Amino acid sequence: MSEATAVTRPPEPDFSAMTAEELVAYRDAENRFRASSTARAITGDPDPGAAISWRQVALPGRELPVRVYRPAAENGGRAAARAEELPLVLHVHGGGFVGTAVQSDWVNSHLAARLPAVVVSVEHRLLAPDSPLSAAVEDGWDVLRYVVQHASQWGIDPARTAVFGESCGALISALTTIRAREAGLRLKAQVLLNLVADVTETMFDHVSVTEHARTPTLAVPQLQLFQRLAVPSGTDPRALSPLYADSVNGLAPALVVVPTHDPLADHGRRYAERLRTAGTPVRLSEYPGAGHAFLSLPGVAPQAETARTEILEFLRASLTV
């Protein structure tokens, strides 16, 4: 993986009539833009206190790229002294049928430098006619399990592990948290931002979907395409919907961040309510007027920095021994 430069963003397509070939072409062009220096004006510059690299993870039947953020060597001091026992934050980017870990450099590099921690961002398989949501969910879980099992090779303390996801990545992170509990892997925290919590037939029945059906960063036609790709015929959508998980008790404490000007706002609210009812510690934090994916758009979303600080403080409190 490499970042391109001087790339023009493709025009928004007609999501309701997009063919498989058009999806691939749009995805590739959009991801070239998101990974470009041109996009930095929107997505933000990385924290100079973090070193960023790509790494391949050998998983069953496939290799998957991950983007790794570590405290830069020149930080010295406490970070260098604890280089072999840093916390792990597994991050999953948003986008669903588009997206790349590079779009989250701003927040992930800051977390790596300021916690300090090793942040591993999963470049999961994107939704497509031949790549349903279940594949991306497997990628999230498999990378977490691999890194924890090879903790010494990654310089992390597996006992201080958190997950952090945005949008579709928040859905993957929520399901990963549930799966970790079932596997006996104790996580310290989960951060879920503009969460997709429901991909069943009730996905569009939430009030916020109607109130914010067409916003600059997310609109219902995109969600409809997302759902079609996520749960093709023969797939059980409840198994991929955190809102309908059999049990959400005994999970890692959660920070659920909800931008209020987002079709998915009620997804986050409902899931936070379900966690609270089940006895899982949860903080619901709403950002009035913020739109979907605002954390990845610090160049145009003034509340992104406040949210980044809140996430940093929540993770610091959760991951500190």
Side-chain angles (χ1 to χ4, degrees):
M1 305 293 295
S2 62
E3 290 88 279
T5 58
V7 176
T8 302
R9 189 166 205 172
E12 183 173 297
D14 181 354
F15 292 107
S16 64
M18 181 177 278
T19 66
E21 293 76 15
E22 289 169 341
L23 172 63
V24 170
Y26 170 72
R27 179 192 67 199
D28 291 349
E30 175 67 12
N31 281 354
R32 280 195 299 272
F33 172 78
R34 295 188 186 196
S36 71
S37 60
T38 306
R40 293 294 190 198
I42 301 171
T43 60
D45 291 318
D47 191 308
I52 307 174
S53 62
W54 286 102
R55 185 165 173 176
Q56 293 290 124
V57 175
L59 301 175
R62 67 198 188 283
E63 284 200 345
L64 202 68
V66 296
R67 195 157 172 86
V68 183
Y69 309 78
R70 297 179 181 275
E74 56 267 26
N75 274 2
R78 182 172 179 269
R82 303 187 63 184
E84 296 306 315
E85 53 179 76
L86 289 172
L88 167 67
V89 177
L90 184 90
H91 173 265
V92 191
H93 67 77
F97 50 82
V98 296
T100 170
V102 182
Q103 72 195 37
S104 300
D105 278 357
W106 179 76
V107 64
N108 284 337
S109 61
H110 185 86
L111 295 179
R114 307 300 167 186
L115 278 172
V118 175
V119 181
V120 176
S121 189
V122 183
E123 193 83 341
H124 59 80
R125 285 170 286 182
L126 297 173
L127 304 188
D130 59 348
S131 180
L133 179 58
S134 58
V137 171
E138 287 297 320
D139 289 342
W141 167 246
D142 284 349
V143 170
L144 174 64
R145 183 172 55 176
Y146 180 92
V147 175
V148 167
Q149 289 175 347
H150 299 83
S152 61
Q153 299 175 20
W154 292 77
I156 60 104
D157 175 4
R160 293 188 293 153
T161 297
V163 297
F164 165 33
E166 306 172 58
S167 191
C168 176
L171 180 154
I172 295 169
S173 296
L175 293 177
T176 296
T177 303
I178 294 169
R179 198 160 177 176
R181 180 203 58 195
E182 294 170 348
L185 173 59
R186 296 183 63 84
L187 301 178
K188 289 291 189 180
Q190 54 177 321
V191 177
L192 310 174
L193 186 122
N194 36 262
L195 167 69
V196 183
D198 180 7
V199 293
T200 73
E201 67 281 356
T202 66
M203 180 178 185
F204 302 96
D205 293 346
H206 305 271
V207 173
S208 62
V209 176
T210 301
E211 288 182 341
H212 306 292
R214 186 170 292 276
T215 72
T217 49
L218 184 65
V220 166
Q222 291 161 276
L223 288 174
Q224 291 169 333
L225 174 61
F226 173 88
Q227 187 190 47
R228 289 198 302 272
L229 297 171
V231 286
S233 178
T235 301
D236 178 9
R238 292 180 69 90
L240 295 166
S241 299
L243 190 60
Y244 295 112
D246 291 338
S247 171
V248 295
N249 64 303
L251 299 179
L255 170 62
V256 180
V257 179
V258 171
T260 63
H261 198 70
D262 181 3
L264 297 175
D266 284 339
H267 281 228
R269 294 176 181 129
R270 288 280 308 281
Y271 191 62
E273 178 184 353
R274 182 141 191 246
L275 291 175
R276 186 175 294 111
T277 301
T280 292
V282 58
R283 180 201 301 174
L284 174 63
S285 183
E286 299 201 15
Y287 282 77
H292 187 81
F294 77 107
L295 185 67
S296 295
L297 306 170
V300 294
Q303 291 170 300
E305 189 162 352
T306 303
R308 185 182 70 175
T309 299
E310 182 179 21
I311 292 166
L312 173 65
E313 292 175 350
F314 177 79
L315 288 175
R316 180 177 288 145
S318 301
L319 295 170
T320 299
V321 175

